[in-house]
Amino acid sequence: MAATIVFIHGRGQEGKDPEALRSEWCTALAAGLGVPRLAMPCVLPYYGNVLHRVTAHAAKESELVELPADGGEEMPFHPFLPEDVGELERLLLADLAATTGGVQPELAGISDLLSWTLARRLLTWVSKNTSVDKEIIKVFLQDVAVYLSHGRKPVLDEVRRLLPASGDLVLVSHSLGTVVARDLLVDETVRRRVVFWVTAGSPLGLPTIQRNLLAKGTRHPGVRWLTTYDVNDIVALGHPLESGWGTPLSQIEVENRDTPHAIDRYLRHRTVAGPIGNACA
């Protein structure tokens, strides 16, 4: 019996049709395999609305932050969210800057100082040096920070609820979904069913994420693992991963051209799709 492919999506999927989303992933993977349609079963445990509700609830329950009257640089990125989210945002931003390299001396040490003034200057620096818009970086920081601090349990509960009840699994995860997948693999009842795990455009190379996983640090989950990245994908700046995470871990560098973080671009590469197809056989 063929393994079931489990697509674990990333951030920013709230309000979308889960079946349409699953179809998009299937179409891209089929293109990568060079076939008109996939023969193996595929599911997409959709958690986009769950994470969105968690974010809204965290904002509702948060104490109102006193904002600077002059609208100065000490303004949080997301003043409606709790301080624990803001702290993680600043630490994640420092990680992105460190992996980009060449941080100006006056911006170094942000992970210790935790100043919003420095964070805003560092955000501008990272945006300039990666050619990624500041607003895109900010929403990435927000969603990862909310998942790590408030959203993990409801998201994992929803993903587990939507997994096939039995049979082997091939996990294909993207972006924040790779963090969700790593946390999911702590569950032994899930892990022993996983025959192959793919991470595309993953932030698992960032130290703040590693420190905040269910299995803290870079503990290899003990399953066959392929990670794929584009050097221009800001979310995957911590690649390559092998030096930290160990083996078995295959690493595939790809070129996604003008959309370096797009999952459909990742899945359309034969070097990525081929191993997924082989794992399902």
Side-chain angles (χ1 to χ4, degrees):
M1 182 177 177
T4 298
I5 298 177
V6 178
F7 296 130
I8 303 184
H9 65 79
R11 59 152 306 277
Q13 304 304 305
E14 63 274 5
K16 294 190 176 181
D17 178 352
E19 180 53 32
L21 200 59
R22 187 191 73 87
S23 179
E24 290 172 9
W25 285 54
C26 288
T27 298
L29 181 56
L33 291 171
V35 297
R37 64 184 61 84
L38 296 181
M40 62 284 283
C42 303
V43 299
L44 187 145
Y46 177 73
Y47 67 86
N49 288 344
V50 171
L51 185 61
H52 187 65
R53 285 196 297 268
V54 169
T55 304
H57 181 74
K60 182 179 179 181
E61 296 298 314
S62 176
E63 293 184 8
L64 186 63
V65 176
E66 186 173 342
L67 303 178
D70 60 358
E73 289 185 315
E74 197 54 29
M75 177 86 69
F77 292 156
H78 303 103
F80 52 87
L81 288 171
E83 174 53 28
D84 58 348
V85 174
E87 181 177 345
L88 282 169
E89 287 181 326
R90 296 192 296 267
L91 290 169
L92 288 164
L93 179 60
D95 289 348
L96 290 178
T99 55
T100 303
V103 180
Q104 301 169 25
E106 63 269 25
L107 298 180
I110 184 175
S111 59
D112 297 320
L113 296 175
L114 297 177
S115 157
W116 280 116
T117 298
L118 280 178
R120 287 189 170 276
R121 294 174 186 174
L122 192 60
L123 175 64
T124 298
W125 186 90
V126 171
S127 176
K128 179 180 178 181
N129 283 272
T130 60
S131 300
V132 177
D133 186 86
K134 288 190 287 186
E135 294 305 313
I136 293 176
I137 298 172
K138 283 165 60 177
V139 293
F140 163 73
L141 297 174
Q142 172 192 286
D143 287 353
V144 174
V146 167
Y147 170 78
L148 293 175
S149 57
H150 297 264
R152 188 186 335 253
K153 185 180 186 305
V155 166
L156 288 177
D157 286 349
E158 183 69 359
V159 171
R160 286 193 194 94
R161 185 181 72 83
L162 296 171
L163 288 176
S166 61
D168 291 341
L169 306 174
V170 172
L171 296 186
V172 179
S173 53
H174 176 238
S175 193
L176 175 59
T178 68
V179 181
V180 175
R182 179 61 190 98
D183 282 342
L184 187 66
L185 286 167
V186 171
D187 185 338
E188 179 61 21
T189 62
V190 174
R191 192 197 67 79
R192 65 180 177 224
R193 297 172 57 197
V194 174
V195 297
F196 194 46
W197 177 32
V198 176
T199 53
S202 173
L204 285 171
L206 302 181
T208 298
I209 287 179
Q210 294 166 1
R211 288 193 300 269
N212 286 277
L213 292 168
L214 280 180
K216 298 186 185 304
T218 52
R219 293 171 54 189
H220 195 291
V223 299
R224 282 202 304 135
W225 178 7
L226 180 151
T227 190
T228 179
Y229 64 99
D230 183 316
V231 294
N232 294 310
D233 182 351
I234 188 173
V235 177
L237 281 177
H239 280 71
L241 296 181
E242 187 175 309
S243 61
W245 286 90
T247 56
L249 173 57
S250 301
Q251 304 194 88
I252 305 293
E253 182 181 335
V254 298
E255 171 56 66
N256 290 334
R257 299 189 294 280
D258 58 331
T259 52
H261 189 57
I263 184 58
D264 67 309
R265 288 290 179 88
Y266 276 113
L267 293 178
R268 287 174 185 272
H269 290 284
R270 177 68 188 181
T271 52
V272 175
I276 297 173
N278 292 337
C280 293

